[in-house]
Amino acid sequence: MITVAGVADQDVAVLGLGRSGLSAARALRAGGATALCWDDNPAARDAAEAEGFACRDLHGPGAFDDVAALIVSPGIAHLYPAPNPVVAAALRAGVPVDNDIGLFFRSFATSDWESFDTTPRVIAITGSNGKSTTSALIHHILTATGRPTQLAGNIGRGVLDIDPARDGEVVVLELSSYQTDLARALTPDIAVFTNLSPDHLDRHGGIGGYFAAKRRLFAEGGPDRAVIGVDEDEGQYLAGQLAEGPTDDRVIRVSVTQKLTGRGWQVFARKGFLSEYRKGRQAASIDLRPMRGLPGAHNHQNACAAYAACRSLGLAPRVIEQALHSYPGLPHRSQIIAEAGGVTYVNDSKATNVDSAAKALSAFKRIRWICGGLQKDGGLDILLGATGAVAKAYVIGREAAGFALQLDVETEICTTMAEAVARAVAEAEPGDTVLLAPAAASFDQYDNFEQRGDDFAAQVLGRLAG
């Protein structure tokens, strides 16, 4: 556990008692604070009280009279589409609002570090798509090369649940826009921006607010080095803001759509080959095509970002390449479930928006596509030019008929995962890939994308076994 610094003998309110909220309460208590907990769910309050925490209804008058700060869980809105009433009350009372990420960055470094030979580092990764894979890939490379490391944030453990840093350790954090938007302290040593596509627009008041939330990791944090995906205008803009000039190698530009030229530090992938250029000269090249855990251009972008971050730590290209070969991939992200009869079955349930689904569709040659679910704002127009490899789409979800009408490929309305898998398995031919890449949220039929992916895997394995 990371003990929160600077809160001894203070009353600190905690709103939302899920994983991050309870973790924050524990870390606050370890730092000498009294955590005053609240969640509108009585079961969550009971769980907190069972751990000895006091619960206070933060909706009532005077609830913040003696409170030093309010710590908010990521799922709770603090500005758009409207502030949560408790957050609004804290702001009116002049009480600072923060989250567990802010607590982590202000508390991670301790006096113990004075005896370390190598100062611990923090790599923070944000972006719309690929940040989980990029984070896991960096952690995998570090583990494979013997570097002490921990993985936390939006993946792995909560940031305050990790162990205090060891000598030379690297903590890898995946951070969502919900987390970067509110954190009062953001000080990573290396910050990574993968890409940007429309997502969570209601929560951020539009695409500008969404980008601004991501940008805070760089503008507020002032990292020693920034790895920036420049395949969208926002990434180009961010890299331009951070670099002092064309040769400033504190910014590493990353691309999978173009060969990057110039006098700075560049990492890009074309036709399955990763290239590193510095000062206009090629420094390394890696063939990504044999790496089964990293299929498709979107995963090649993740590999470029992870490679750049690890190069920033001083790892040699060949050492990184060796680790890339052993990367197994993440569950629900281009995860190979089975191979039978010349057909490959791939679970990409994490493709919850159209941009990530389009990238998944570009990774395979002939696809039986299982898609659909709770459609997000913006429609499916991005997919219309990305379905060239799709032999047929099998549409699931409560609104499957409406979803299917927006597609430019042959469709079959299946509604349920069981029916979609049954039809895809029956019609698949050798060389086909049966791909779950929903391009939609899961909440119309499942609690989360993990449950949806698990159902797909279970249906596939059950069909093949039968």
Side-chain angles (χ1 to χ4, degrees):
M1 178 192 298
I2 303 298
T3 300
V4 177
V7 294
D9 301 321
Q10 294 182 356
D11 291 342
V12 180
V14 178
L15 177 63
L17 299 175
R19 184 186 74 163
S20 67
L22 276 178
S23 174
R26 297 183 193 110
L28 287 163
R29 180 165 61 186
T34 298
L36 304 174
C37 300
W38 183 256
D39 194 298
D40 291 340
N41 182 351
R45 298 198 299 270
D46 290 345
E49 289 177 338
E51 291 195 35
F53 292 110
C55 286
R56 173 188 289 187
D57 188 346
L58 299 175
H59 295 87
F64 289 97
D65 287 351
D66 55 352
V67 169
L70 171 65
I71 308 304
V72 179
S73 293
I76 297 172
H78 58 272
L79 186 55
Y80 300 115
N84 178 279
V86 171
V87 176
L91 294 173
R92 285 194 300 270
V95 172
V97 179
D98 204 349
N99 61 14
D100 60 334
I101 305 301
L103 296 180
F104 167 83
F105 275 112
R106 85 184 213 191
S107 307
F108 183 52
T110 69
S111 58
D112 293 340
W113 292 19
E114 295 176 7
S115 63
F116 290 170
D117 292 328
T118 304
T119 302
R121 310 286 292 280
V122 176
I123 302 176
I125 300 93
T126 195
S128 296
N129 299 307
K131 56 186 180 292
S132 293
T133 296
T134 301
S135 302
L137 189 51
I138 294 169
H139 180 255
H140 173 80
I141 293 167
L142 293 170
T143 300
T145 55
R147 189 79 177 261
T149 180
Q150 297 184 74
L151 179 64
N154 224 31
I155 185 175
R157 303 161 73 183
V159 292
L160 295 172
D161 285 333
I162 69 171
D163 299 324
R166 294 169 287 172
D167 193 342
E169 186 162 47
V170 180
V171 172
V172 183
L173 301 181
E174 179 198 340
L175 300 182
S176 73
S177 58
Y178 292 2
Q179 294 168 311
T180 58
D181 197 19
L182 187 59
R184 293 173 65 89
L186 285 167
T187 54
D189 298 285
I190 300 169
V192 179
F193 176 85
T194 59
N195 51 57
L196 194 86
S197 61
D199 207 357
H200 309 304
L201 300 188
D202 58 337
R203 176 65 180 266
H204 297 292
I207 189 68
Y210 178 52
F211 175 53
K214 302 287 189 184
R215 181 180 173 275
R216 287 193 76 244
L217 183 63
F218 303 84
E220 301 287 335
D224 296 333
R225 182 155 278 125
V227 176
I228 309 292
V230 295
D231 287 337
E232 295 87 29
D233 290 341
E234 291 85 357
Q236 290 276 17
Y237 174 80
L238 182 58
Q241 280 203 314
L242 296 172
E244 293 295 331
T247 61
D248 187 353
D249 68 0
R250 293 174 301 173
V251 176
I252 307 177
R253 291 170 171 82
V254 167
S255 175
V256 289
T257 66
Q258 58 189 308
K259 177 180 179 179
L260 297 177
T261 59
R263 294 171 286 163
W265 197 346
Q266 334 271 359
V267 178
F268 59 89
R270 297 183 73 198
K271 299 180 180 180
F273 285 86
L274 179 153
S275 296
E276 176 189 1
Y277 275 71
R278 299 188 73 170
K279 299 179 180 179
R281 296 183 178 181
Q282 187 169 15
S285 177
I286 296 174
D287 185 356
L288 300 173
R289 294 172 301 173
M291 299 175 184
R292 299 204 58 180
L294 297 166
H298 60 304
N299 276 310
H300 294 173
Q301 183 183 55
N302 301 332
C304 287
Y307 174 93
C310 291
R311 289 287 284 137
S312 297
L313 294 172
L315 273 65
R318 294 300 166 225
V319 170
I320 299 173
E321 180 179 10
Q322 185 176 4
L324 290 175
H325 276 285
S326 62
Y327 177 66
L330 280 176
H332 313 294
R333 297 162 178 87
S334 298
Q335 178 190 18
I336 296 176
I337 297 299
E339 294 175 288
V343 179
T344 303
Y345 297 86
V346 177
N347 168 21
D348 203 342
S349 184
K350 184 62 170 65
T352 58
N353 59 48
V354 292
D355 186 70
S356 56
K359 290 176 178 176
L361 292 174
S362 71
F364 307 98
K365 293 182 178 180
R366 182 176 164 86
I367 299 170
R368 302 281 172 179
W369 179 28
I370 298 176
C371 58
L374 186 62
Q375 188 173 324
K376 295 186 176 181
D377 293 341
L380 305 180
D381 289 351
I382 291 175
L383 293 172
L384 299 182
T387 55
V390 176
K392 185 175 178 181
Y394 307 82
V395 187
I396 64 173
R398 295 177 185 171
E399 304 297 330
F403 195 99
L405 286 173
Q406 300 175 68
L407 301 178
D408 60 350
V409 296
E410 180 185 352
T411 61
E412 182 172 341
I413 298 170
C414 298
T415 307
T416 67
M417 184 69 74
E419 179 64 17
V421 169
R423 297 296 300 143
V425 170
E427 296 182 354
E429 302 173 356
D432 286 358
T433 296
V434 175
L435 171 67
L436 171 65
S442 58
F443 305 123
D444 59 334
Q445 293 182 309
Y446 301 95
D447 291 339
N448 48 55
F449 73 83
E450 294 96 339
Q451 189 182 86
R452 176 173 60 190
D454 289 340
D455 188 20
F456 170 75
Q459 296 293 337
V460 166
L461 296 175
R463 283 280 164 186
L464 296 180

